Amino acid sequence: MKVACVQVEPVVLDCERTLDRLEEVAAEAARNGAELVVFPETFVPVYPSSRWAKAFAGWQNDGAKQTFARLAQNSVTVGLPSERRIAAAAKELGVWLVTGVNETELHRPGTIYNSLFFHSPDGELVLHHRKLVPTNHERLIWGQGDGRGLHAAETPFGRIGGLICWENYMPLARVALYESGVEIYIASTADDSDEWQATLVHLARESRAYVISPCHFQRASSYPEDFPLASEIEGVDVIGRGGSAILAPDGSYLAGPLYGEEGILYAELDPSVLLEERQRFDPVGHYSRPDLLRLSLHAGDGTPSTHPSGQ
């Protein structure tokens, strides 16, 4: 199967126009034969860069409060037109869409979550994952997620799941994906450092899965003129330089990393390679010791765990 890893800018703090961009780019990827199209961390409507999100630490910062309100107003809510547009795009194009969004709940819109939506070609929201622990400055903006999305979903081309940015450094979160049989591992991120590439290599080698990591790309010039925290990015050019990549189960690069520009990375995934690489190492199979080490997973959303190691 062919996959597409997207590195493009959102229309900052504008949900509807960012979804326009999503539909346009996803259509291009579908025309090029992609069956799975993956967008970066909180692509809709923007990733809150530390360059300006640090202002949220101010006790009475009007710009921060106004920015939070705009971010919440332009976030995505499951079941409402914003999420349904993503679902409709997946159905119209006949592709799987994985989208990073700022998410709010219908009846409790005062908390924003960093979420990954996995939509099937039927337009169904098959998997919904919220980032478990926001990182550093992100804790000033996002609430903590739960365990509902800590598993892989079945697709015709393999089991797909993912974690967001630095929660990939949470060993037990990774194990939850491994135990559910993940074969296509989504690692959406805003980490544009060189060190992140070493993380991706490790993820691929440890999971023995294909890793798709779309990274956010932002320029200060793309922010609206009335951005309430404009002073925080004054004189800045590139806010997020990207670094998107697709890796094979042995840690080798199939595409990328892509820096400093927009683009779509493509790769062909051969399922037989998964078995070839697991001959020597299977993290939850012949290279595990469930008699000694075991994961207990609690979904945290009021539903019982269906995880293989759930207690």
Side-chain angles (χ1 to χ4, degrees):
M1 57 125 13
K2 190 173 185 178
V3 299
C5 179
V6 175
Q7 180 171 296
V8 299
E9 287 185 280
V11 181
V12 176
L13 291 175
D14 189 323
C15 178
E16 291 304 309
R17 293 175 63 201
T18 297
L19 291 177
D20 290 343
R21 192 88 208 275
L22 179 145
E23 292 167 349
E24 170 191 327
V25 174
E28 177 184 343
R31 286 194 299 271
N32 287 325
E35 299 173 68
L36 167 65
V37 185
V38 188
F39 286 83
E41 179 178 9
T42 59
F43 176 69
V44 186
V46 71
Y47 172 78
S49 167
S50 60
R51 288 187 179 272
W52 53 264
K54 59 189 176 183
F56 280 68
W59 184 249
Q60 282 291 349
N61 188 315
D62 289 338
K65 291 194 289 185
Q66 292 164 18
T67 300
F68 183 87
R70 286 181 62 172
L71 188 60
Q73 290 162 353
N74 285 275
S75 292
V76 179
T77 301
V78 174
L80 292 190
S82 52
E83 182 264 327
R84 290 291 83 199
R85 275 191 69 181
I86 302 173
K91 187 172 184 178
E92 179 180 350
L93 297 171
V95 299
W96 283 80
L97 274 183
V98 181
T99 313
V101 302
N102 288 275
E103 181 204 357
T104 54
E105 295 179 325
L106 180 60
H107 300 296
R108 293 180 292 180
T111 296
I112 306 173
Y113 299 94
N114 177 341
S115 299
L116 269 184
F117 289 168
F118 295 69
H119 285 92
S120 74
D122 295 328
E124 180 185 358
L125 181 59
V126 173
L127 189 59
H128 175 190
H129 173 62
R130 289 174 173 170
K131 191 173 186 178
L132 301 177
V133 181
T135 305
N136 197 43
H137 65 283
E138 298 171 356
R139 300 185 191 195
L140 301 169
I141 300 170
W142 294 322
Q144 290 190 322
D146 51 43
R148 75 181 75 186
L150 287 177
H151 61 92
E154 196 74 54
T155 77
F157 44 75
R159 295 184 64 81
I160 185 171
L163 297 173
I164 303 168
C165 205
W166 275 31
E167 66 177 352
N168 284 286
Y169 292 132
M170 300 173 70
L172 295 183
R174 299 199 307 272
V175 172
L177 289 187
Y178 301 163
E179 289 200 337
S180 65
V182 68
E183 296 170 308
I184 302 173
Y185 187 132
I186 308 301
S188 61
T189 189
D191 189 339
D192 61 0
S193 68
D194 293 336
E195 290 78 11
W196 179 252
Q197 298 303 319
T199 295
L200 295 180
V201 172
H202 174 81
L203 289 179
R205 289 175 60 83
E206 181 180 76
S207 66
R208 299 291 153 146
Y210 287 102
V211 173
I212 304 173
S213 181
C215 187
H216 88 125
F217 177 69
Q218 285 186 35
R219 293 168 293 191
S221 59
S222 298
Y223 278 70
E225 291 183 1
D226 62 347
F227 177 49
L229 294 173
S231 61
E232 301 291 343
I233 58 174
E234 188 175 352
V236 176
D237 180 16
V238 175
I239 292 177
R241 67 178 183 139
S244 300
I246 305 173
L247 288 81
D250 64 354
S252 62
Y253 281 83
L254 298 176
L258 176 66
Y259 288 107
E261 61 180 325
E262 293 187 316
I264 306 175
L265 301 176
Y266 296 96
E268 299 276 355
L269 309 190
D270 180 355
S272 67
V273 174
L274 293 164
L275 295 176
E276 292 174 3
E277 292 304 323
R278 291 177 182 181
Q279 178 260 325
R280 290 184 299 171
F281 182 83
D282 181 353
V284 290
H286 60 76
Y287 216 100
S288 66
R289 288 294 305 274
D291 55 323
L292 301 177
L293 305 168
R294 164 166 213 194
L295 171 66
S296 175
L297 174 65
H298 303 271
D301 63 348
T303 61
S305 172
T306 56
H307 195 278
S309 290
Q311 296 291 311

